[in-house]
Amino acid sequence: MPVDPSPRLTSGETPARGAGRARREAERLPLRASAASAVEVRRSARRSRTVSAYREGDRTIVLIPARMSEAEERRWVTVMLDKLAAQESRKVLDDGELAERAARLSGQYFDGRAKPASVRWVTNQNTRWGSCTPSEGSIRLSHRLQGMPEYVVDYVLLHELAHLLVPGHGPRFWRLLEAYPRTERARGYLEGVVAAGRLPHRPPAPED
């Protein structure tokens, strides 16, 4: 499924509003390296009030006013990355789109060497995010990934695609995944989901 140039977001907030506070926040909260490496900021003298962002291949393009300070730029890039991720989390690919996405990722990161025979969602995988049967060329993704950010789904797809080339989890396998710039970020996200699922449930409030 093509991802250029959708999704696209525009914020109508005036960048100068609360500039001092934004500058302090940006200085305290530097961009995550894994996200920043795939971000391109474009300044425009014709843009005076709005900030926009959209996907272009594996990059995120953020459009900002030329007069914006570096601190404001850092703050708005973080805001727009989070907004894009939230928008993407509401999309659910069907099996055909999932297979198209796997083919695109294989071509982009593995030179097209990983060629699955089938890629589909399944509802019977509650202890793993994905699985691969190299002898059949089949890849299955857990339905629990539906609604998660796009980069997380891409990571799981790449993980299973890599198993078509390397069966185990040895050094050669992880070297393949090093090509994907958001590997660590995606793994951290999934680890957080697992950890949150292990938290004890809050007891119901006592009745009067």
Side-chain angles (χ1 to χ4, degrees), residues 129-149:
W129 298 114
S131 61
C132 173
T133 305
S135 61
E136 300 175 356
S138 61
I139 290 176
R140 298 165 297 280
L141 265 58
S142 171
H143 72 287
R144 295 181 301 147
L145 288 166
Q146 295 174 348
M148 290 189 187

Side-chain angles (χ1 to χ4, degrees), residues 165-183:
L165 305 175
V166 181
H169 288 98
R172 183 169 164 240
F173 174 86
W174 293 111
R175 280 196 297 271
L176 284 174
L177 288 180
E178 286 176 358
Y180 183 56
R182 300 185 180 182
T183 289

